[in-house]
Amino acid sequence: AKAQGLHGYRFFTASMNERARAQRRIETALRQALPRRELSLHYQPKVDAQSGRIVGAEALLRWHANGRVQYEPDQFIPVAEDTGLILPIGAWVLRQACKQAQLWQLRGQPVAVSVNVSPLQFQHADFYSWLDGVLKETGLAAHLLELELTERMVMSGGDATTDLLQRIKQRGVRLSLDDFGTGYCSLSYLKHFPIDALKIDRVFVRDLTSDRDTATITSAIIAMARSLNKLVIAEGVETREQGAFLRLAGCSQLQGFLYGAPLPAAEFQKLLGEPA
Ligand code: C2E
Ligand code: CA
Ligand code: CA
Ligand code: CA
């Protein structure tokens, strides 16, 4: 057991070093990514569960250089968060997404844009005034912006967090809880927070039609959320069966490859068709 432990320890340090090196490589490149204009946003449609119409778009960060994907968000966003780079990057993301949504609004095709917010941004003392500034600067109507927060962010901050959420909501910006069901949030807690919507995590959607327990739990989450007057959005919908189940269970909006992958703004706009 001792030998095995030692072996395990050496394996651990080797892979840690490798990880640290990979992180540093990403960090170095990421520092240049904004000034070099390598970052862009893709937009994934969110459709109304009843009508199938596109009612929103989630803005998702992409990193390309020399015509190729540099790293996936799941690789570089954690590095951005660890290094604080998520602050300038997140600021760029919000401004860019609001500008884009305002352009669609001016074309007569109002699409609400959802922006992922990381904990570091949200904890920043100036978050509210900065958010307000971006709305004023871009001219976007607040109700066309939705912030996607995680359970951990909402749960951990106590009164200050609840006050901030309240101010954002009073400003007219919509709030949703991302990746719902994977964290710590109990449904009974939800009624204390001024959250408009829950996004059921993809892991539930994935197993819906193959696992009875998952189907039961998902239906219960949707029913309880609705009884608390929260909208429910499902993400990662890939099959017609999943879509049909979620619509019947009471989801208001659906998002996933079945309805459309994340696309560059120009291509997303084609999905909207010509303005009326
Ligand atoms: P998320 O917020 O949960 O975003 C949903 C992820 O699921 C996206 O991955 C999206 O491309 C992917 N997806 C959408 N539909 C389907 C589907 O039908 N099946 C499957 N298997 N996947 C689907 P992506 O774009 O790679 O982003 C990964 C994560 O990176 C996001 O997860 C979010 O946490 C983070 N992220 C992306 N953009 C930003 C950003 O601008 N700011 C921050 N703070 N985080 C971001
Ligand atoms: Ca999200
Ligand atoms: Ca999510
Ligand atoms: Ca996620």
Side-chain angles (χ1 to χ4, degrees), residues 27-190:
E27 182 188 344
T28 306
L30 194 54
R31 287 194 187 281
Q32 301 300 322
L34 256 191
R36 288 183 181 160
R37 298 172 178 268
E38 294 171 352
L39 301 180
S40 64
L41 292 180
H42 281 192
Y43 297 87
Q44 183 176 34
K46 292 170 122 168
V47 306
D48 179 87
Q50 297 306 322
S51 69
R53 277 190 32 242
I54 297 176
V55 290
E58 179 173 3
L60 293 160
L61 199 50
R62 294 293 179 265
W63 183 3
H64 291 95
N66 309 316
R68 264 183 303 173
V69 170
Q70 286 292 95
Y71 293 96
E72 300 291 336
D74 286 332
Q75 298 175 292
F76 71 85
I77 285 167
V79 178
E81 283 172 343
D82 287 348
T83 55
L85 284 168
I86 196 67
L87 291 175
I89 292 172
W92 178 84
V93 167
L94 184 77
R95 184 170 286 113
Q96 186 68 22
C98 288
K99 272 190 207 165
Q100 186 58 67
Q102 175 65 352
L103 284 175
W104 286 325
Q105 161 75 21
L106 293 173
R107 270 175 64 94
Q109 296 177 311
V111 170
V113 73
S114 305
V115 174
N116 293 286
V117 177
S118 94
L120 208 59
Q121 288 176 279
F122 192 67
Q123 285 155 16
H124 199 280
D126 294 331
F127 183 79
Y128 180 82
S129 50
W130 168 75
L131 173 69
D132 181 58
V134 172
L135 287 170
K136 286 189 176 123
E137 177 199 321
T138 58
L140 183 69
H143 74 274
L144 290 175
L145 175 65
E146 177 175 66
L147 301 181
E148 295 195 0
L149 314 172
T150 59
E151 294 169 56
R152 206 189 287 254
M153 286 160 69
V154 170
M155 297 284 294
S156 61
D159 289 350
T161 308
T162 312
D163 287 349
L164 175 57
L165 293 172
Q166 210 77 60
R167 289 178 76 196
I168 296 172
K169 188 166 161 102
Q170 266 155 22
R171 180 66 174 81
V173 172
R174 304 174 49 78
L175 293 168
S176 80
L177 266 193
D178 206 353
D179 303 339
F180 191 79
T182 59
Y184 313 87
C185 214
S186 74
L187 278 160
S188 63
Y189 235 81
L190 271 184

Side-chain angles (χ1 to χ4, degrees), residues 193-263:
F193 296 111
I195 293 287
D196 301 287
L198 302 185
K199 276 187 101 167
I200 305 261
D201 193 77
R202 191 162 88 212
V203 297
F204 294 97
V205 176
R206 187 190 60 205
D207 297 340
L208 262 188
T209 49
S210 59
D211 180 57
R212 276 200 62 90
D213 289 345
T214 302
T216 306
I217 292 167
T218 306
S219 301
I221 292 177
I222 296 169
M224 281 190 276
R226 286 178 52 122
S227 74
L228 295 167
N229 286 318
K230 311 292 182 190
L231 291 182
V232 187
I233 301 159
E235 67 176 9
V237 182
E238 295 180 354
T239 69
R240 292 188 176 281
E241 291 72 26
Q242 291 165 347
F245 181 100
L246 291 160
R247 181 168 48 247
L248 283 174
C251 278
S252 356
Q253 290 178 22
L254 305 171
Q255 182 185 351
F257 296 155
L258 180 64
Y259 310 101
L263 295 170

